[in-house]
Amino acid sequence: MKKSYFPQQMAYSLLFTLLILPTSWAKSSTTEGLLAKVAAEIKEAKSKMTLDVKVPDLSPKAWKVHVLAEEETISDSIEVTGGTLLYTGNRLKAERLIVHGDGILLVDGELLCPEIDVKGNGIVIFKKNSVRYYGGQMKVGSGLVIAKSENNLNLRIRKDGAYYCGGENKGEIMIDGLATIEIKGNQEGNIIIGEGKGRPAIVNVKRNLKGKVNSQQSCDIAVEDDIFGHMDIKGNLKLSGRNLIASDITVSETLNAKLNSVISKKDKQNTLKAKQATISTVRNNVSDLHTALNLTLKVGGSHQGKMTSNTGNIDATITENSKGDIAAGNSIKAVASNLFGNITAANNANLTIKDTLESYLLKTGKNATVKAGTFKGNADIGGKGDLSAVDFVKGEFYYQVKMDHGSLKAKKNNELEIAVAKKGSVNVGQNNRANIKIGAQGDVTVGESNTGSIIIGDNGIVKVKREQMDVIYIGGTGDVEAGRAHKSIIVKKEAKIKLGESVDSYYDEGVIQIANGLITTIGKNSFDIQTTSADKNTKVTIGDYNEGNMDIVGTADIAVSRDQTGKTNVGKGGSLKARSHFGNITFGDAANIDITNLLCGNLYVAANKGTTTVNIGTAKDANMGIYGLCNMKTGDISNDKPGEETIFIQTGSLISKNNIESNFVAKGAMHVQARNIYGNVDIGDPNSKVDAIVKGKVTVGK
């Protein structure tokens, strides 16, 4: 702004000529007074600062020239040499002010200058700043700049520098060296910081930080109110503030942030990136978090956003809900009320979720420990799994838990397919509604009913309190208990089977197949019973009716409390006791057979040694062939057509309390006793004895 007032211009030309005169022209007392005033201004400003700034040398010997202007200084251009102390009273107005060297600028009143440049070290203090000069610039080589109220000018300090603004700072701040910045109001403009040494750059903002921050050095940034600007920091960043709003932060090294909340806008999700980070918020955090190394997160409210660590660990504590995927190159530890999102850890995961964990995929390279109220999801655990929840819930996309080895515990119900490659255990407090497969040794306990199959590759223990609706398979030795079995139970080695009862399903006739061992039902059994070990004994105890066939290749001891309606086939010897038997009976060696009431079926015993004893209440329509020594007692042997069936006993005795309505054949010595025999008698040994009225042909000793 050029003025045409000639006398005034002449006066200023004369005044500024003094600036280049030697120091001796200036009064030292005036210089000392001005320096004292500068020192007082700095002291006053420092009393209001949170930060501590280094005060430059204010001795008179450091400053050669001074200029006094008590009222105001107005000029198109002010340009002075270095070593200058420039003071103005109420007003300094110029198009530009340049100091070629070190300089102090102290303005009590308005500073109306769009371009200020102190080339060397400088101290700039001004109390008021006109709002007319948006976009103006103040440059200082290095030093201290104090705006006591507000500042609209852009500020650049070329080297190390400190800046204090007592009010709102609307301009951009650029410090190329070690930086100290304190703003008592809002910071509207961007902050750009170059490289510095010795300590991090310090930025304190009393109100809101609205501009972006770009720094080539580590920073400590403290904001009392809200942060709106993006940050790009080379080095470390220590950040505190109230709310971080719709802003991205990128830090090349370590981010340490303490905030009240991180808030996004509808069209902008915050992203925080760092080599490693520790972030805590008093309330909610809405941001995507990405680190190369470790990430530690503590949220007093809810978190929404992804968490990613390329090669490190993630440790997240969320007071309320977490929504977003979590992925770590090493391990994950998370605590939350509810967690929604995929979980991927190259090594381990440790999750403690108070209410619901809902994850399309929980995947770990090694181990996983999960404690949750409700687990909705799929799990693929590369190592040991230790999963516990009140309920494991199946959904449209949630159906399976896989692990190398480990355990799953549901306090109430499980609906997920469970596949354990090696050793594992499953414990369901109430109902299990899905298949369970364990590749090696395993144990399964279900507190109520199980609707899925149970497959264990090696030795196993299975306990189901009530209904077992599907197949149980154990590849080694097995111990199985169930309230009611509806489908087959297969144990490849020695087994102990205890059932309340077994019931054939509508689609499948069940079987109990074991190598050998113990089979017990409290109630009835509808399954076929089979064994595969010819060298071992099997004990079968049926507490009610037995409706299935028995095919036992070794020895067997069989007891049926009521009736046996299927066949009994025992490869070797043993014993059979039942109230009635309505199927054929076969033993491969000597046996003790006790049928209290009725036998309706054939009886065959192929004994090589030992004695077979047979007690039958009534035999009906039964052919019998008993090799070896046999002693038989019966109440009656009857047939619909007397003489149609045949009883063969190699040697021994046949005692009937009533009649025998079958043919009788024996090779060795026999004692036959009955009231009447309605059939032929053919005994090879002449030393035999027949005490009965024989209605048919009798041959003894031929």
Side-chain angles (χ1 to χ4, degrees), residues 590-595 603 605 607 610-616 624 626-634 637 647-656 664 669-673:
N592 296 320
I593 300 169
D594 188 351
I595 308 300
L603 171 60
V605 178
T611 301
T612 297
T613 61
V614 179
N615 293 306
I616 300 173
M624 300 184 191
I626 301 173
Y627 292 84
L629 176 62
C630 173
N631 295 316
M632 181 184 295
K633 293 181 180 181
T634 178
I637 298 176
I647 297 173
F648 170 82
I649 296 176
Q650 185 170 357
T651 184
S653 64
L654 172 58
I655 308 298
S656 175
F664 179 78
M670 282 296 301
H671 177 204
V672 180
Q673 179 177 317

Side-chain angles (χ1 to χ4, degrees), residues 289-566:
L289 308 175
H290 191 151
T291 63
L293 301 178
N294 296 339
L295 169 62
T296 301
L297 177 66
K298 186 173 182 180
V299 178
S302 294
H303 170 79
Q304 181 175 323
K306 298 177 181 178
M307 299 181 217
T308 305
S309 171
N310 291 343
T311 60
N313 302 316
I314 294 177
D315 187 345
T317 302
I318 318 292
T319 301
E320 295 179 9
N321 304 327
S322 179
K323 185 176 183 181
D325 296 345
I326 303 176
N330 193 17
S331 297
I332 295 171
K333 181 180 179 182
V335 177
S337 291
N338 296 285
L339 193 153
F340 306 96
N342 295 330
I343 311 294
T344 306
N347 287 326
N348 305 319
N350 189 324
L351 308 176
T352 303
I353 310 302
K354 181 180 178 182
D355 294 325
T356 299
L357 169 58
E358 185 170 349
S359 178
Y360 176 74
L361 180 61
L362 164 59
K363 184 176 177 63
T364 67
K366 292 185 179 178
N367 304 330
T369 300
V370 176
K371 295 180 181 179
T374 300
F375 182 92
K376 297 180 179 180
N378 303 305
D380 187 352
I381 299 167
K384 180 181 179 182
D386 185 0
L387 278 61
S388 64
V390 176
D391 292 293
F392 289 83
V393 179
K394 184 177 181 180
E396 182 179 359
F397 304 106
Y398 311 136
Y399 56 89
Q400 188 178 53
V401 172
K402 293 170 61 179
M403 66 181 77
D404 183 73
H405 61 285
S407 64
L408 181 144
K409 184 175 182 180
K411 187 175 181 180
K412 291 184 178 179
N413 303 314
N414 172 59
E415 298 176 350
L416 299 177
E417 303 280 335
I418 300 171
V420 183
K422 298 176 183 176
K423 182 179 179 181
S425 67
V426 177
N427 189 313
V428 180
Q430 293 182 2
N431 299 307
N432 183 67
R433 301 186 178 99
N435 298 328
I436 298 171
K437 184 176 182 180
I438 299 173
Q441 181 179 342
D443 62 89
V444 177
T445 302
V446 179
E448 295 295 331
S449 296
N450 180 53
T451 58
S453 63
I454 298 173
I455 298 174
I456 300 174
D458 203 343
N459 302 337
I461 299 172
V462 176
K463 295 182 179 181
V464 179
K465 185 176 181 181
R466 298 188 186 279
E467 308 293 330
Q468 170 60 35
M469 302 301 295
D470 211 328
V471 173
I472 296 175
Y473 174 92
I474 299 176
T477 61
D479 187 342
V480 178
E481 293 184 18
R484 181 187 288 117
H486 292 259
K487 286 192 177 181
S488 298
I489 299 172
I490 298 173
V491 181
K492 285 298 185 179
K493 295 183 179 180
E494 185 175 353
K496 181 180 178 182
I497 311 293
K498 184 177 181 180
L499 306 175
E501 63 177 355
S502 66
V503 181
D504 280 336
S505 69
Y506 180 79
Y507 300 100
D508 183 26
E509 293 185 359
V511 61
I512 297 174
Q513 183 186 94
I514 64 175
N516 64 283
L518 177 64
I519 299 172
T520 303
T521 67
I522 297 171
K524 71 175 182 178
N525 172 53
S526 298
F527 289 176
D528 290 345
I529 294 175
Q530 302 171 357
T531 69
T532 59
S533 177
D535 300 327
K536 300 290 181 67
N537 181 69
T538 296
K539 184 176 181 181
V540 179
T541 303
I542 308 299
D544 204 308
Y545 293 94
N546 187 69
E547 298 175 349
N549 299 319
M550 297 189 192
D551 193 352
I552 298 172
V553 297
T555 61
D557 293 304
I558 302 168
V560 181
S561 293
R562 294 195 178 185
D563 300 342
Q564 161 76 354
T565 59

Side-chain angles (χ1 to χ4, degrees), residues 32-315:
E32 291 173 357
L34 288 173
L35 290 171
K37 185 174 178 62
V38 171
E41 293 288 353
I42 294 175
K43 183 177 180 181
E44 181 188 352
K46 285 191 66 176
S47 69
K48 299 177 182 178
M49 293 182 192
T50 305
L51 306 177
D52 185 23
V53 297
K54 184 179 179 182
V55 179
D57 184 6
L58 294 176
S59 62
K61 64 181 180 179
W63 308 99
K64 300 184 295 183
V65 177
H66 65 270
V67 174
L68 299 178
E70 296 295 343
E71 296 300 327
E72 64 178 7
T73 300
I74 303 175
S75 176
D76 288 346
S77 177
I78 301 173
E79 188 166 348
V80 297
T81 59
T84 300
L85 184 147
L86 180 62
Y87 166 79
T88 186
N90 295 329
R91 192 181 192 206
L92 173 60
K93 181 178 181 182
E95 291 296 327
R96 64 178 185 150
L97 168 61
I98 300 174
V99 179
H100 294 283
D102 300 339
I104 297 176
L105 175 61
L106 175 62
V107 182
D108 279 342
E110 289 184 309
L111 176 63
L112 303 177
C113 186
E115 183 180 351
I116 299 170
D117 192 349
V118 179
K119 300 291 187 180
N121 296 326
I123 302 173
V124 179
I125 303 172
F126 54 97
K127 296 182 179 181
K128 297 180 181 179
N129 185 34
S130 172
V131 297
R132 303 178 195 174
Y133 292 108
Y134 289 110
Q137 189 168 51
M138 179 188 299
K139 298 178 182 178
V140 179
S142 63
L144 173 63
V145 178
I146 297 174
K148 299 188 74 173
S149 59
E150 63 179 26
N151 178 32
N152 297 322
L153 298 175
N154 296 325
L155 171 63
R156 181 177 183 185
I157 301 176
R158 297 183 181 90
K159 296 181 181 178
D160 297 349
Y163 175 53
Y164 170 78
C165 181
E168 187 169 12
N169 192 81
K170 295 185 178 179
E172 182 177 85
I173 301 170
M174 181 183 295
I175 300 178
D176 291 339
L178 186 62
T180 304
I181 300 169
E182 183 165 356
I183 312 295
K184 289 298 185 181
N186 295 324
Q187 169 59 31
E188 299 279 354
N190 298 331
I191 298 175
I192 301 171
I193 301 172
E195 295 182 359
K197 296 181 179 179
R199 62 163 175 79
I202 300 175
V203 179
N204 276 13
V205 179
K206 180 75 173 178
R207 297 289 305 282
N208 299 314
L209 175 56
K210 298 182 178 180
K212 300 177 182 178
V213 179
N214 189 309
S215 177
Q216 297 300 307
Q217 61 180 287
S218 298
C219 291
D220 291 351
I221 300 176
V223 181
E224 290 196 21
D225 286 347
D226 296 337
I227 302 167
F228 295 90
H230 302 312
M231 295 186 186
D232 191 345
I233 310 297
K234 185 177 181 181
N236 303 320
L237 172 60
K238 184 178 180 182
L239 177 66
S240 64
R242 189 171 66 177
N243 300 315
L244 178 67
I245 302 173
S247 300
D248 295 337
I249 295 177
T250 301
V251 181
S252 67
E253 295 297 330
T254 299
L255 169 62
N256 191 320
K258 294 183 179 181
L259 303 162
N260 184 66
S261 298
V262 179
I263 302 171
S264 69
K265 293 184 177 179
K266 290 183 179 180
D267 58 344
K268 180 66 179 71
Q269 171 82 345
N270 306 299
T271 301
L272 279 59
K273 295 182 180 180
K275 187 174 183 179
Q276 56 187 4
T278 299
I279 300 167
S280 65
T281 63
V282 177
R283 299 184 66 189
N284 298 334
N285 175 31
V286 182
S287 63
D288 291 335
L289 308 175
H290 191 151
T291 63
L293 301 178
N294 296 339
L295 169 62
T296 301
L297 177 66
K298 186 173 182 180
V299 178
S302 294
H303 170 79
Q304 181 175 323
K306 298 177 181 178
M307 299 181 217
T308 305
S309 171
N310 291 343
T311 60
N313 302 316
I314 294 177
D315 187 345

Side-chain angles (χ1 to χ4, degrees), residues 666-691:
K667 288 187 176 181
M670 282 296 301
H671 177 204
V672 180
Q673 179 177 317
R675 288 183 179 181
N676 299 289
I677 298 177
Y678 295 94
N680 299 324
V681 175
D682 187 353
I683 301 174
D685 193 319
N687 297 317
S688 299
K689 182 179 180 182
V690 178
D691 293 330

